[in-house]
Amino acid sequence: MGKTISSNTPYDDVFRTLLNDCSSLIIPVINEVFGEHYLCTEKIVFSPNEHFLNQQDGNESERITDTSFKILGTESKKYHWECQSSTDDSMLVRFFEYDTQIALDEGEIKENVLTVTFPHSAVLYLRCSESTPDKLKIRMVTPGGTVAYDVHVMKSQQYTLEMIFEKNLLFLIPFYIFSHERKLKEYEQDEMKLEMLKSEYHQIKTRLEMLLDKGIISEYTKCTIVDMSNKVLEHIAQKYVSVREGVKSVMGGKVLEYEAKSIREEGREEGREEGREEGREEGIRGTVSVLKELGIPMQTIQVKIQEKYHLSSESCKKYL
């Protein structure tokens, strides 16, 4: 039996949640890192993030990538992203393993030639120092010659709030607290400094609400960014109660426990109590309706109702 190797830190969870539930937020990040010019209206198609790798002892191990996906624009491009809270010497090995498997997943054999297309790869560093590299490289020495490609690096701590909003890098907001990590103890002990931190987060919330009012982001996207910011804060500031509570008082508490969940639970309860399929269906349709109004991607809605109501993909279609 294969062994599963995966990272499951709160930061990985936040990274994946943002990608799955607010996938369009990654496009400005792609533009920033790879110098692309996507319009943020392109379709994103996610690939499975589980890959099985053959080991030297003959066993298989399952590796979980943070994400791999295609952006369908004028041409289709594959991307592979990883999120790292700190530098890791083994990361380049993992990138090569993942990139190779991603390429093999869609490899083509024609006239005795195997063609594989490697993804454009990048890592988001949540922490960085002077020694953190600006670019990583993978070099393959083959009998046919040497081939090399870059793994691009993005350092979230290098982006100020002004840069984040100017470049529409809203994906980075939940990780913004990392730029203050070294001063959390000061904020905990100095109320005036804590007020300055809270002022920055008040600015974040205000600017998100402005984007919502202009129709640039949906209510669901705003809620997700706030909720994921709180999740990162809970972990990184777990020793600093005043910092945690102070920032959360500005941003708001857990905001994703909203009407959609209530409708869903009421629908399920109604179906159980009355024993009627009509009650269950009404709950499902109500959930889908609210989630659509909040701007949740259709793919995410389908996954959510499949999981919560134990529906098959075919059964979901009549509700979407």
Side-chain angles (χ1 to χ4, degrees):
M1 182 178 292
K3 180 181 178 182
T4 298
I5 302 175
S6 63
S7 63
N8 192 34
T9 70
Y11 312 133
D12 296 317
D13 292 342
V14 167
F15 186 82
R16 294 189 185 109
T17 297
L18 289 169
L19 278 163
N20 291 331
D21 288 3
C22 306
S23 57
S24 63
L25 294 183
I26 195 62
I27 296 183
V29 176
I30 295 288
N31 287 342
E32 172 74 5
V33 173
F34 291 98
E36 299 285 3
H37 298 89
Y38 293 118
L39 303 175
C40 297
T41 56
E42 291 81 6
K43 184 177 181 180
I44 299 177
V45 179
F46 288 93
S47 305
N49 63 350
E50 299 89 357
H51 297 285
F52 293 89
L53 306 174
N54 292 319
Q55 304 299 302
Q56 290 181 347
D57 59 6
N59 292 322
E60 276 189 339
S61 67
E62 182 184 4
R63 292 291 182 90
I64 311 297
T65 64
D66 278 346
T67 189
S68 62
F69 55 88
K70 286 182 181 178
I71 295 183
L72 306 182
T74 52
E75 61 176 314
S76 175
K77 287 189 178 181
K78 291 192 290 188
Y79 294 93
H80 167 209
W81 273 83
E82 296 287 329
C83 177
Q84 288 285 128
S85 58
S86 57
T87 55
D88 181 350
D89 290 340
S90 67
M91 189 178 62
L92 271 173
V93 176
R94 297 201 310 274
F95 259 101
F96 179 68
E97 289 178 336
Y98 298 157
D99 288 351
T100 302
Q101 194 59 54
I102 290 168
L104 280 172
D105 286 345
E106 296 186 3
E108 292 183 348
I109 298 178
K110 188 177 294 184
E111 296 180 356
N112 299 315
V113 176
L114 169 64
T115 300
V116 292
T117 302
F118 275 64
H120 300 266
S121 295
V123 57
L124 172 64
Y125 280 123
L126 304 181
R127 296 183 178 98
C128 64
S129 65
E130 291 183 359
S131 62
T132 304
D134 294 324
K135 191 172 290 186
L136 307 172
K137 186 180 289 289
I138 293 176
R139 180 179 294 112
M140 294 171 281
V141 180
T142 78
T146 299
V147 178
Y149 69 95
D150 293 329
V151 175
H152 291 252
V153 170
M154 185 180 210
K155 304 172 186 177
S156 66
Q157 289 180 318
Q158 291 185 341
Y159 289 84
T160 65
L161 277 187
E162 196 58 38
M163 292 168 68
I164 286 173
F165 281 98
E166 180 184 326
K167 297 185 175 188
N168 199 29
L169 301 174
L170 307 184
F171 191 94
L172 299 182
I173 289 176
F175 307 113
Y176 180 69
I177 191 66
F178 275 91
S179 64
H180 291 278
E181 185 178 18
R182 294 179 182 177
K183 297 182 179 180
L184 293 180
K185 187 175 181 178
E186 292 180 36
Y187 299 151
E188 184 72 13
Q189 298 172 347
D190 189 322
E191 189 173 341
M192 186 173 296
K193 290 181 178 179
L194 178 56
E195 286 301 317
M196 292 175 64
L197 177 67
K198 289 166 63 177
S199 176
E200 286 195 31
Y201 273 88
H202 185 271
Q203 182 186 158
I204 290 174
K205 185 175 181 181
T206 299
R207 295 184 75 162
L208 286 175
E209 289 172 349
M210 289 172 61
L211 293 175
L212 174 63
D213 291 341
K214 293 177 181 179
I216 296 174
I217 61 173
S218 68
E219 177 71 25
Y220 183 77
T221 295
K222 188 200 80 171
C223 287
T224 302
I225 291 172
V226 171
D227 194 44
M228 293 301 102
S229 297
N230 285 335
K231 184 167 184 177
V232 172
L233 178 71
E234 283 285 347
H235 190 75
I236 200 172
Q238 56 184 323
K239 297 180 181 178
Y240 308 108
V241 177
S242 296
V243 173
R244 278 202 326 270
E245 298 306 317
V247 173
K248 286 180 68 176
S249 70
V250 174
M251 294 291 279
K254 189 167 179 60
V255 295
L256 291 184
E257 300 292 338
Y258 48 3
E259 188 177 359
K261 181 175 180 180
S262 299
I263 292 174
R264 181 188 69 210
E265 295 302 331
E266 288 170 7
R268 294 178 68 186
E269 187 64 29
E270 185 176 355
R272 283 195 295 267
E273 290 180 357
E274 299 183 14
R276 293 190 294 110
E277 183 62 24
E278 291 88 345
R280 184 170 182 270
E281 288 201 2
E282 183 178 344
I284 297 172
R285 293 187 190 281
T287 300
V288 171
S289 176
V290 173
L291 294 177
K292 282 182 177 179
E293 289 179 7
L294 290 170
I296 300 177
M298 194 63 67
Q299 181 181 2
T300 302
I301 294 176
Q302 180 173 336
V303 171
K304 288 183 182 296
I305 65 172
Q306 277 185 251
E307 291 177 350
K308 297 301 179 182
Y309 293 100
H310 309 292
L311 298 173
S312 67
S313 299
E314 194 64 31
S315 299
C316 282
K317 292 180 180 179
K318 68 177 181 179
Y319 299 109
L320 300 175

